[in-house]
Amino acid sequence: MFDTVLIANRGEVALRVQRACRTLGLRTVAVHSAADRDAPHVRHADIALWIGPAAARRSYLDQAAILFAAEVSGAGAIHPGYGFLSENADFAERVEAAGRVFIGPSPESIRTLGNKIAARRAMRDAGVPCVPGSDAALPDDADLLGELADRIGYPVILKAAGGGGGRGMRVVRDGSGLADALALTREEARQAFCNADVYLEKFLLHPRHVEIQVLADQHGQVVWLGSRDCSLQRRHQKVLEEAPAPGIAAETIQAIGTRCVAACRRIGYRGVGTFEFLVEDGAFCFIEMNTRLQVEHCVTEMTTGIDLVQQQIRVARGERLALAQDAIRQRGHAFECRINAEDPETFAPAPGRITGWELPGGPGVRVDSHAGAGTVVSPYYDSLIAKLVVHGDTRAEALARLRVALDEMRVGGIETNLDLHRRIVRDPDFEAGGVDIHHLEHRLAQERGA
Ligand code: MV4
């Protein structure tokens, strides 16, 4: 099995993967663009290889450059992190064809679950509850289409099979706009995803976004690792996440988690995965599955005590899961704030040189970051500079610690969303727990009006 891992990513997740590899005694290869020469994971790696200029297309998305770097460095495995090539089935296939291990699910799993129609069908067949909707790609025939939507009930939402994460969607309020909306969505889908298939779901008005984390080995053993609530978002960008999802009965979560595990067994899933649900009036509705490590995996780590990246590498190595489901518990509560370099008014990325950097600490406080005083935040990549993660025995304790930590943290030289987080953690509705996916945008609109 492999003893060297190539980290095909940058920023905080590259450092996170670097640490997990070191903990397991593995050698590491960092591949970096011209913008990331001085990144900490590059410094800590055994081998660092320059793969191209700052633009991601010519570095972190350049499959040939990364495969060549693996060859010359003798890396037996590639960890894709999140974003970039992490959910690219063709890349996973090329890694395997080169005789290396892709640290993630099989290319077939990535491909199937990347097609949202196929994913829905697989989950429905496995007994995972889905949003009421169509079971196949929509026909263009207006009568058939109208019948389908009438049966589901308005409002409905059209979604591209190749979309996900909020891309390629359109809400339709009544039958009069349906055919035109389908034509538009189809054309956008063809352009954006090279797949013109579109499906239909009932549009839920006030759902929460709740996720279930799973972990599967290559021998058919699968566990679920509790829930996360990611409802606090703006324009499909998550801002603050927590675990477990507050105010949901343990038996309800347990029943859903068990279904997710059964679904993974059925499709022969391996690695870490996330089932995304919309939860409205206590009902869980599957929407999509993410086949990668997620940014917010840390709140699951803090509540379960399990190092998800280490587990990801172990199962990729062919090890059997050493975790039994009945020994896994979510203890206490955790929050994660995504600290971004961004304009507090416009939310536009605000790159630049960080001149001041003071981190919080104390019991239950964790900061995952590649940044520090002197770090230049590049305009070429996403604006995440740190994840502030806080754990406590109860939600109230974790929230109290989070308030203190946010007040302690200082970033100088660039603008950040630290102040936004300080306002969120003092919002009475957020403090009560269980706000829906529209809450943050409603609050921001209120603030602008006030
Ligand atoms: C929905 C929905 C309401 N009803 N599907 C947006 C991201 C993608 N993962 C799915 N999304 C949604 N799908 C149905 N049937 C509302 C959203 C949605 C949303 C979902 C999760 C988190 C934030 C969101 C913000 C706006 C819309």
Side-chain angles (χ1 to χ4, degrees):
M1 252 308 141
F2 57 85
D3 61 6
T4 304
V5 175
L6 182 147
I7 304 164
N9 212 301
R10 63 171 306 281
E12 73 84 21
V13 72
L15 183 56
R16 175 74 190 84
V17 173
Q18 159 71 27
R19 286 173 174 152
C21 290
R22 263 298 178 275
T23 307
L24 286 167
L26 295 165
R27 289 162 38 81
T28 55
V29 179
V31 291
H32 63 88
S33 75
D36 290 325
R37 291 172 190 292
D38 301 322
H41 84 279
V42 174
R43 270 199 322 274
H44 296 316
D46 293 285
I47 300 175
L49 296 170
W50 179 86
I51 51 165
R57 297 236 145 265
R58 301 181 60 194
S59 49
Y60 300 108
L61 289 171
D62 185 338
Q63 300 185 25
I66 292 167
L67 287 163
F68 184 60
E71 189 183 324
V72 300
S73 62
I78 298 183
H79 195 304
Y82 51 69
F84 296 125
L85 297 169
S86 60
E87 292 182 286
N88 187 314
D90 293 337
F91 179 65
E93 219 157 57
R94 288 175 72 177
V95 172
E96 287 188 354
R100 301 175 208 287
V101 173
F102 179 80
I103 302 180
S106 68
E108 298 70 42
S109 289
I110 298 173
R111 197 164 280 128
T112 302
L113 296 166
N115 182 315
K116 305 305 168 188
I117 295 175
R120 249 178 83 83
R121 196 175 300 132
M123 294 312 156
R124 188 203 56 195
D125 291 349
V128 176
C130 298
V131 194
S134 61
D135 295 327
L138 294 175
D140 277 319
D141 182 285
D143 292 339
L144 282 176
L145 185 64
E147 248 170 70
L148 210 61
D150 284 340
R151 192 145 19 94
I152 291 160
Y154 290 92
V156 296
I157 183 167
L158 296 168
K159 296 184 177 182
R167 303 181 324 134
M169 314 187 318
R170 183 167 272 102
V171 177
V172 181
R173 302 281 159 192
D174 57 66
S176 67
L178 186 59
D180 285 350
L182 175 59
L184 279 172
T185 309
R186 205 188 271 303
E187 207 37 51
E188 284 167 8
R190 197 192 316 272
Q191 305 266 334
F193 315 117
C194 302
N195 179 353
D197 286 350
V198 175
Y199 64 109
L200 193 65
E201 282 179 356
K202 181 160 191 65
F203 181 64
L204 304 181
L205 292 173
H206 300 289
R208 294 166 59 185
H209 176 151
V210 177
E211 308 182 330
I212 299 290
Q213 176 74 57
V214 295
L215 168 65
D217 68 19
Q218 301 187 35
H219 310 281
Q221 204 190 322
V222 187
V223 294
W224 67 282
L225 301 169
S227 63
R228 295 188 286 258
D229 193 315
C230 310
S231 299
L232 270 196
Q233 56 82 42
R234 181 186 169 274
R235 301 208 179 160
H236 304 298
Q237 296 297 311
K238 293 169 185 169
V239 174
L240 188 159
E241 304 98 341
E242 61 180 298
I248 297 176
E251 307 83 70
T252 307
I253 294 274
Q254 158 110 29
I256 294 294
T258 305
R259 296 294 176 105
C260 294
V261 165
C264 287
R265 267 207 205 96
R266 224 177 128 111
I267 62 177
Y269 193 80
R270 68 154 195 251
V272 299
T274 299
F275 287 74
E276 284 189 13
F277 293 91
L278 296 179
V279 177
E280 197 172 70
D281 304 326
F284 276 71
C285 300
F286 171 84
I287 45 171
E288 37 190 272
M289 182 170 180
N290 299 319
T291 58
R292 60 169 191 280
L293 182 74
Q294 291 198 256
V295 177
E296 63 270 26
H297 74 276
C298 313
V299 291
T300 299
E301 294 187 324
M302 298 292 270
T303 50
T304 61
I306 294 166
D307 181 331
L308 275 172
V309 184
Q310 182 178 131
Q311 290 298 325
Q312 205 183 7
I313 297 167
R314 285 182 180 281
V315 299
R317 218 152 56 170
E319 288 182 31
R320 282 173 190 282
L321 276 184
L323 302 160
Q325 185 69 62
D326 56 16
I328 296 170
R329 266 186 197 80
Q330 277 199 297
R331 197 191 70 74
H333 207 93
F335 293 100
E336 172 183 275
C337 293
R338 298 193 187 192
I339 313 297
N340 298 328
E342 68 185 27
D343 185 300
E345 303 291 324
T346 64
F347 298 93
R353 181 181 294 273
I354 298 173
T355 54
W357 188 256
E358 285 178 48
L359 293 185
V365 176
R366 160 178 170 184
V367 180
D368 277 19
S369 175
H370 60 296
T375 299
V376 175
V377 181
S378 164
Y380 284 92
Y381 313 112
D382 81 26
S383 58
L384 184 76
I385 55 169
K387 302 189 302 196
L388 169 57
V389 191
V390 173
H391 181 262
D393 283 343
T394 61
R395 189 170 186 273
E397 184 181 55
L399 187 53
R401 285 178 171 166
L402 180 56
R403 288 184 183 131
V404 174
L406 283 166
D407 287 346
E408 284 180 10
M409 188 163 176
R410 294 269 182 278
V411 178
I414 57 166
E415 302 215 87
T416 72
N417 62 350
L418 267 168
D419 248 5
L420 171 64
H421 284 295
R422 293 180 186 125
R423 298 200 303 279
I424 290 172
V425 297
R426 286 169 179 85
D427 167 5
D429 291 332
F430 174 70
E431 179 165 10
V435 298
D436 71 31
I437 58 171
H438 305 296
H439 180 76
L440 179 58
E441 284 176 279
H442 283 156
R443 264 278 169 282
L444 291 169
Q446 252 174 12
E447 286 182 358
R448 277 196 300 276

